[in-house]
Amino acid sequence: MAYEYILVEKRDRVGLITLNRPEALNALCAGLIDELGQAVALFEADDEIGCLVVTGSERAFAAGADIKEMIGKDFQQVYREDFITDDWEVLAKTRKPVIAAVAGYALGGGCEVAMMCDFIIAAENAKFGQPEITIGTIPGAGGTQRLTRIVGKSKAMDMCLTGRMMDADEAERCGLVSRVVPVDKLMEEAMAAAAKIAGHSLPVTMIAKESVDRSYETTLSEGLRFERRVFHSTFALDDRREGMTAFAEKRKADWKHR
Ligand code: CAA
């Protein structure tokens, strides 16, 4: 499929999506969001793919929603369209794991898209922020919600009210990113992590993701109950028996469902 704003590649069992609108620092115009949704849906349906990686350029993961596209919109229109539309949520709804590999700016919608992924690996030059306040609006794709759940109220308020950027070290300290690596190692690290994930049993991986995600939506006791039930469900899989048998026999597991 030919795309205008993204590059899409399959590397073994990893689906790589590169945001590719360099002239606008990967600003997330409607066309880009549409293509991102299509690419994610194709990888989600592709049995050969076990993990996705979303990245941008060395200069920018994405500098936010496209401000020039938004300038002329009025309340009637954004309300009618329910802008930011559900199309934006495609990464958050993906059942296969998704890693965001972030270098450079991840601002506004860019930070929000990164937070929709399961975890973020950041290059040392990464800069995260919710600067919408500086252009007279507020985050509209999860910046006040996901960021607050991830980094807590104080830091989220700081970011959303001042509009300042945080660097990769601060992002790692507050748990927004899982690891920070040199810029020239970002893709190697992200693709290696994705290959490792894609090398596990796919249903077990999806169950693990679903269970961690559940912790964001529910109370601890309900979350623990959910975890136990889906833990039990892994015992219905050949791969659970194979994984434990392989451990006992000191050999590599040969997963049936990848
Ligand atoms: N929308 C549209 N175009 C953008 C853009 C955006 N979010 N961010 C950058 N661009 C464009 C610039 O207009 C510029 O284009 P021209 O060359 O045609 O003028 C090009 O990308 C390069 O940008 P700069 O010249 O500004 O580059 P810089 O290095 O001087 O600054 C920057 C980089 C600090 C990231 C700056 O571009 C910037 O502040 N961008 C906007 C960040 C922002 O406010 N994001 C939030 C958007 S609102 C949102 O995302 C709502 C939501 O919750 C979904």
Side-chain angles (χ1 to χ4, degrees):
M1 184 175 297
Y3 295 105
E4 188 178 349
Y5 302 112
I6 60 173
L7 304 171
V8 173
E9 219 182 305
K10 273 163 81 162
R11 288 198 205 159
D12 296 325
R13 293 183 46 76
V14 177
L16 173 61
I17 301 173
T18 305
L19 309 182
N20 185 36
R21 199 187 168 209
E23 71 285 0
L25 302 183
N26 293 333
L28 303 160
C29 60
L32 191 155
I33 291 294
D34 184 46
E35 290 185 2
L36 181 62
Q38 291 177 40
V40 170
L42 287 174
F43 282 145
E44 179 84 333
D46 187 339
D47 287 339
E48 290 174 358
I49 294 296
C51 187
L52 281 65
V53 173
V54 179
T55 193
S57 69
E58 212 170 291
R59 189 168 169 217
F61 177 75
D66 191 315
I67 299 169
K68 292 165 192 168
E69 237 180 37
M70 287 187 289
I71 290 177
K73 290 184 189 284
D74 60 17
F75 173 78
Q76 144 77 13
Q77 192 181 353
V78 293
Y79 184 77
R80 263 306 260 130
E81 290 171 2
D82 208 11
F83 179 77
I84 302 288
T85 62
D86 281 349
D87 298 352
W88 279 69
E89 287 280 321
V90 64
L91 286 168
K93 290 188 177 137
T94 310
R95 295 177 71 218
K96 287 179 183 171
V98 190
I99 300 173
V102 174
Y105 298 112
L107 302 177
C111 186
E112 292 167 309
V113 164
M115 288 190 291
M116 289 174 199
C117 299
D118 296 312
F119 62 97
I120 301 173
I121 301 180
E124 281 166 349
N125 74 341
K127 291 210 179 304
F128 298 88
Q130 297 293 160
E132 289 88 345
I133 195 98
T134 67
I135 56 165
T137 185
I138 70 161
T144 66
Q145 303 302 303
R146 288 197 177 94
L147 186 65
T148 308
R149 281 168 165 77
I150 295 167
V151 304
K153 178 182 166 185
S154 186
K155 182 85 72 182
M157 281 289 193
D158 179 356
M159 302 305 294
C160 292
L161 299 186
T162 67
R164 77 175 174 89
M165 297 182 206
M166 70 161 93
D167 65 16
D169 280 346
E170 184 179 358
E172 189 180 29
R173 278 200 307 280
C174 67
L176 178 57
V177 311
S178 70
R179 20 181 150 157
V180 178
V181 297
V183 178
D184 62 352
K185 293 275 180 292
L186 177 66
M187 290 320 293
E188 192 182 316
E189 185 92 0
M191 293 305 284
K196 189 158 180 73
I197 291 168
H200 294 143
S201 164
L202 182 59
V204 178
T205 301
M206 289 171 66
I207 289 169
K209 167 172 168 153
E210 193 178 356
S211 195
V212 175
D213 275 340
R214 192 71 172 205
S215 70
Y216 275 91
E217 306 287 347
T218 193
T219 60
L220 179 61
S221 59
E222 280 306 313
L224 289 169
R225 187 199 308 272
F226 180 84
E227 180 190 79
R228 189 155 333 143
R229 291 296 166 252
V230 290
F231 163 68
H232 292 160
S233 78
T234 66
F235 284 71
L237 294 167
D238 303 328
D239 282 344
R240 195 280 315 166
R241 185 180 298 277
E242 167 60 11
M244 293 187 183
T245 305
F247 173 81
E249 293 176 354
K250 299 188 189 299
R251 62 172 173 82
K252 205 166 174 283
D254 179 16
W255 307 120
K256 208 167 183 170
H257 304 286
R258 292 208 318 158

mmCIF file of all heavy atoms in Angstrom, residues 56-74:
data_model
loop_
_atom_site.group_PDB
_atom_site.id
_atom_site.type_symbol
_atom_site.label_atom_id
_atom_site.label_comp_id
_atom_site.label_asym_id
_atom_site.label_seq_id
_atom_site.Cartn_x
_atom_site.Cartn_y
_atom_site.Cartn_z
ATOM 1 N N GLY A 56 9.583 8.209 14.734
ATOM 2 C CA GLY A 56 9.560 9.387 13.868
ATOM 3 C C GLY A 56 10.945 9.583 13.295
ATOM 4 O O GLY A 56 11.586 8.615 12.876
ATOM 5 N N SER A 57 11.420 10.812 13.313
ATOM 6 C CA SER A 57 12.768 11.089 12.829
ATOM 7 C C SER A 57 13.660 11.397 14.021
ATOM 8 O O SER A 57 13.201 11.429 15.165
ATOM 9 C CB SER A 57 12.752 12.286 11.884
ATOM 10 O OG SER A 57 12.474 13.463 12.627
ATOM 11 N N GLU A 58 14.928 11.655 13.742
ATOM 12 C CA GLU A 58 15.836 12.006 14.832
ATOM 13 C C GLU A 58 15.462 13.372 15.421
ATOM 14 O O GLU A 58 15.682 13.644 16.587
ATOM 15 C CB GLU A 58 17.260 12.056 14.264
ATOM 16 C CG GLU A 58 18.302 11.658 15.272
ATOM 17 C CD GLU A 58 19.660 11.475 14.604
ATOM 18 O OE1 GLU A 58 19.803 10.511 13.836
ATOM 19 O OE2 GLU A 58 20.553 12.309 14.861
ATOM 20 N N ARG A 59 14.847 14.224 14.602
ATOM 21 C CA ARG A 59 14.492 15.573 15.067
ATOM 22 C C ARG A 59 13.134 15.613 15.766
ATOM 23 O O ARG A 59 12.910 16.395 16.689
ATOM 24 C CB ARG A 59 14.491 16.529 13.867
ATOM 25 C CG ARG A 59 14.363 17.966 14.259
ATOM 26 C CD ARG A 59 14.653 18.920 13.110
ATOM 27 N NE ARG A 59 14.254 20.263 13.483
ATOM 28 C CZ ARG A 59 13.713 21.147 12.660
ATOM 29 N NH1 ARG A 59 13.549 20.853 11.394
ATOM 30 N NH2 ARG A 59 13.369 22.333 13.098
ATOM 31 N N ALA A 60 12.214 14.791 15.298
ATOM 32 C CA ALA A 60 10.871 14.843 15.888
ATOM 33 C C ALA A 60 10.152 13.505 15.768
ATOM 34 O O ALA A 60 10.063 12.944 14.671
ATOM 35 C CB ALA A 60 10.027 15.910 15.194
ATOM 36 N N PHE A 61 9.649 13.036 16.904
ATOM 37 C CA PHE A 61 8.680 11.931 16.861
ATOM 38 C C PHE A 61 7.412 12.519 16.238
ATOM 39 O O PHE A 61 6.987 12.082 15.180
ATOM 40 C CB PHE A 61 8.425 11.418 18.281
ATOM 41 C CG PHE A 61 7.385 10.329 18.351
ATOM 42 C CD1 PHE A 61 7.691 9.045 17.941
ATOM 43 C CD2 PHE A 61 6.108 10.592 18.832
ATOM 44 C CE1 PHE A 61 6.724 8.032 17.997
ATOM 45 C CE2 PHE A 61 5.145 9.599 18.891
ATOM 46 C CZ PHE A 61 5.457 8.314 18.475
ATOM 47 N N ALA A 62 6.863 13.543 16.864
ATOM 48 C CA ALA A 62 5.770 14.332 16.280
ATOM 49 C C ALA A 62 5.578 15.592 17.124
ATOM 50 O O ALA A 62 5.530 15.509 18.353
ATOM 51 C CB ALA A 62 4.470 13.537 16.228
ATOM 52 N N ALA A 63 5.468 16.737 16.437
ATOM 53 C CA ALA A 63 5.352 18.023 17.148
ATOM 54 C C ALA A 63 3.908 18.387 17.444
ATOM 55 O O ALA A 63 3.593 19.554 17.682
ATOM 56 C CB ALA A 63 6.035 19.125 16.349
ATOM 57 N N GLY A 64 3.017 17.400 17.418
ATOM 58 C CA GLY A 64 1.643 17.651 17.848
ATOM 59 C C GLY A 64 0.636 17.538 16.734
ATOM 60 O O GLY A 64 0.972 17.238 15.584
ATOM 61 N N ALA A 65 -0.618 17.786 17.102
ATOM 62 C CA ALA A 65 -1.667 17.880 16.079
ATOM 63 C C ALA A 65 -1.288 19.011 15.134
ATOM 64 O O ALA A 65 -0.538 19.912 15.506
ATOM 65 C CB ALA A 65 -3.006 18.171 16.754
ATOM 66 N N ASP A 66 -1.805 18.959 13.915
ATOM 67 C CA ASP A 66 -1.436 19.979 12.927
ATOM 68 C C ASP A 66 -2.162 21.288 13.245
ATOM 69 O O ASP A 66 -3.377 21.406 13.046
ATOM 70 C CB ASP A 66 -1.802 19.484 11.517
ATOM 71 C CG ASP A 66 -1.206 20.389 10.452
ATOM 72 O OD1 ASP A 66 -1.300 21.634 10.603
ATOM 73 O OD2 ASP A 66 -0.638 19.862 9.482
ATOM 74 N N ILE A 67 -1.396 22.241 13.757
ATOM 75 C CA ILE A 67 -2.000 23.511 14.207
ATOM 76 C C ILE A 67 -2.627 24.252 13.031
ATOM 77 O O ILE A 67 -3.711 24.830 13.151
ATOM 78 C CB ILE A 67 -0.930 24.391 14.898
ATOM 79 C CG1 ILE A 67 -0.367 23.661 16.137
ATOM 80 C CG2 ILE A 67 -1.510 25.737 15.300
ATOM 81 C CD1 ILE A 67 0.869 24.304 16.741
ATOM 82 N N LYS A 68 -1.965 24.179 11.875
ATOM 83 C CA LYS A 68 -2.486 24.932 10.715
ATOM 84 C C LYS A 68 -3.820 24.342 10.248
ATOM 85 O O LYS A 68 -4.679 25.067 9.757
ATOM 86 C CB LYS A 68 -1.447 24.936 9.586
ATOM 87 C CG LYS A 68 -0.208 25.759 9.976
ATOM 88 C CD LYS A 68 0.980 25.493 9.069
ATOM 89 C CE LYS A 68 2.242 26.091 9.669
ATOM 90 N NZ LYS A 68 3.470 25.642 9.005
ATOM 91 N N GLU A 69 -3.999 23.042 10.443
ATOM 92 C CA GLU A 69 -5.270 22.401 10.078
ATOM 93 C C GLU A 69 -6.387 22.792 11.063
ATOM 94 O O GLU A 69 -7.557 22.750 10.722
ATOM 95 C CB GLU A 69 -5.080 20.875 10.131
ATOM 96 C CG GLU A 69 -5.395 20.157 8.855
ATOM 97 C CD GLU A 69 -5.186 18.648 8.976
ATOM 98 O OE1 GLU A 69 -5.474 18.036 10.033
ATOM 99 O OE2 GLU A 69 -4.718 18.075 8.003
ATOM 100 N N MET A 70 -5.958 23.131 12.296
ATOM 101 C CA MET A 70 -6.967 23.414 13.337
ATOM 102 C C MET A 70 -7.406 24.880 13.361
ATOM 103 O O MET A 70 -8.491 25.192 13.871
ATOM 104 C CB MET A 70 -6.410 23.054 14.726
ATOM 105 C CG MET A 70 -6.311 21.564 14.982
ATOM 106 S SD MET A 70 -5.854 21.186 16.698
ATOM 107 C CE MET A 70 -4.154 21.686 16.760
ATOM 108 N N ILE A 71 -6.556 25.784 12.824
ATOM 109 C CA ILE A 71 -6.800 27.231 12.989
ATOM 110 C C ILE A 71 -8.239 27.627 12.641
ATOM 111 O O ILE A 71 -8.911 28.319 13.403
ATOM 112 C CB ILE A 71 -5.828 28.070 12.114
ATOM 113 C CG1 ILE A 71 -4.411 27.966 12.660
ATOM 114 C CG2 ILE A 71 -6.265 29.546 12.069
ATOM 115 C CD1 ILE A 71 -3.382 28.710 11.825
ATOM 116 N N GLY A 72 -8.729 27.154 11.504
ATOM 117 C CA GLY A 72 -10.024 27.624 10.996
ATOM 118 C C GLY A 72 -11.237 26.920 11.592
ATOM 119 O O GLY A 72 -12.372 27.264 11.266
ATOM 120 N N LYS A 73 -11.022 25.934 12.444
ATOM 121 C CA LYS A 73 -12.172 25.163 12.946
ATOM 122 C C LYS A 73 -12.920 25.963 14.018
ATOM 123 O O LYS A 73 -12.305 26.705 14.777
ATOM 124 C CB LYS A 73 -11.693 23.835 13.548
ATOM 125 C CG LYS A 73 -11.163 22.833 12.523
ATOM 126 C CD LYS A 73 -10.810 21.524 13.219
ATOM 127 C CE LYS A 73 -10.074 20.544 12.320
ATOM 128 N NZ LYS A 73 -10.934 19.872 11.345
ATOM 129 N N ASP A 74 -14.249 25.783 14.086
ATOM 130 C CA ASP A 74 -14.995 26.413 15.175
ATOM 131 C C ASP A 74 -15.620 25.333 16.061
ATOM 132 O O ASP A 74 -15.511 24.135 15.779
ATOM 133 C CB ASP A 74 -16.053 27.391 14.640
ATOM 134 C CG ASP A 74 -17.075 26.697 13.740
ATOM 135 O OD1 ASP A 74 -17.158 25.452 13.782
ATOM 136 O OD2 ASP A 74 -17.776 27.396 12.986
#
